[in-house]
Amino acid sequence: MNFNVVVATPSTGMCKSMYAYSLANLVAYFSQVRIYPEDHSQSLEILMLEGSGISSNREKMVIDALAKKDMTHLLFIDEDMGFNKEALHQLARRRLPIVGCNYRMRVPPAEFTALNMERTKRIETHVNVSGLEECYYMGFGFCLIAREVLEATEAPRFPIFYKPEMQGYTTEDLPFFVQAREKGFKSYVDHDTSKIIWHNGSISYTWNEDYTELNKNLSQR
């Protein structure tokens, strides 16, 4: 069994320094530590595509990744994420077709990105939760997807939908997870790995902070 991952980052040209630092550490760790002891080999390749069309960028990177015959997994990492060097290893060792991290949005009140299966509330990562939790969808900030999922889904994988009840648009992640589920692939949040990644905005949004007071203070300005 081989593990050959393509790390894909759609960029607007505003790559955070913490992303670069985190990626360098992850690559170094990957070169020294095997993900699966039984693997014959493992490899990592990085793709970055700059442009304002994030849906198009993601689609193009999926196409490019699938063109690599030995690619087994695609890891989406957004350019505003920070993460510990072990994050990829932890996700991969779950051995799931789709597994990713739950992280806070980088604007107050900093809700989490993952939505529960009933589509009634956001899944929260906190000190008393651990392990895996099935989700309806999550953000692509740090998300590992097996090749079989990408081969089973079809373009457009990342369209943006208009929601009249919201008078607004979805992000491009929701349609992908909906299509993947229709193809038989469930999506899971890894709460443990979610605790070693963070979202970089004007401040770093981490899983264990309470942003309620920050939101109140900003609203009073």
Side-chain angles (χ1 to χ4, degrees):
M1 179 179 178
N2 298 328
F3 183 87
N4 302 311
V5 62
V6 171
V7 176
T9 297
S11 175
T12 59
M14 300 293 289
C15 186
K16 294 284 188 177
S17 57
M18 183 53 68
Y19 162 85
Y21 175 79
S22 299
L23 184 61
N25 284 329
L26 183 149
V27 171
Y29 186 75
F30 184 91
S31 69
Q32 300 171 50
V33 181
R34 284 201 175 276
I35 287 183
Y36 306 136
E38 71 274 19
D39 273 357
H40 298 296
S41 68
Q42 64 183 41
S43 66
L44 183 150
E45 184 173 345
I46 298 171
L47 293 179
M48 179 175 276
L49 187 59
E50 185 175 329
S52 59
I54 191 164
S55 294
S56 298
N57 289 354
R58 290 201 193 278
E59 196 72 62
K60 180 64 164 57
M61 286 189 288
V62 166
I63 293 169
D64 290 347
L66 286 173
K68 303 177 188 299
K69 300 302 182 184
D70 60 347
M71 186 270 291
T72 62
H73 293 79
L74 178 73
L75 175 65
F76 275 131
I77 308 179
D78 285 351
E79 65 181 347
D80 56 0
M81 301 299 296
F83 41 93
N84 286 11
K85 62 185 180 181
E86 303 93 345
L88 169 57
H89 283 62
Q90 288 188 193
L91 288 187
R93 287 170 180 165
R94 296 298 192 180
R95 299 176 187 258
L96 290 168
I98 307 175
V99 60
C101 293
N102 192 24
Y103 54 94
R104 291 184 182 274
M105 301 176 197
R106 57 188 179 95
V107 291
E111 291 183 311
F112 284 96
T113 54
L115 191 68
N116 70 347
M117 285 299 298
E118 294 75 28
R119 291 179 277 176
T120 55
K121 62 180 181 179
R122 299 287 176 175
I123 293 172
E124 295 191 356
T125 296
H126 53 79
V127 67
N128 295 320
V129 297
S130 183
L132 298 167
E133 183 173 351
E134 187 177 357
C135 63
Y136 185 70
Y137 84 97
M138 65 187 120
F140 280 134
F142 202 98
C143 185
L144 185 65
I145 305 168
R147 183 186 188 100
E148 61 188 287
V149 179
L150 302 175
E151 290 179 332
T153 54
E154 303 169 346
R157 296 177 179 87
F158 311 103
I160 296 175
F161 297 152
Y162 180 72
K163 294 286 187 179
E165 67 276 14
M166 296 169 45
Q167 292 187 318
Y169 295 86
T170 69
T171 49
E172 83 289 350
D173 41 26
L174 170 61
F176 174 82
F177 290 109
V178 170
Q179 184 183 167
R181 183 170 296 278
E182 290 172 350
K183 300 291 185 178
F185 298 101
K186 298 178 180 179
S187 302
Y188 291 89
V189 160
D190 183 334
H191 286 293
D192 301 303
T193 309
S194 298
K195 294 176 182 180
I196 61 170
I197 65 106
W198 55 94
H199 205 181
N200 290 301
S202 55
I203 62 174
S204 291
Y205 289 89
T206 58
W207 68 275
N208 59 340
E209 294 290 342
D210 183 356
Y211 297 93
T212 305
E213 289 303 316
L214 174 61
N215 189 43
K216 288 180 181 177
N217 293 336
L218 289 174
S219 65
Q220 291 170 359
R221 290 180 182 176

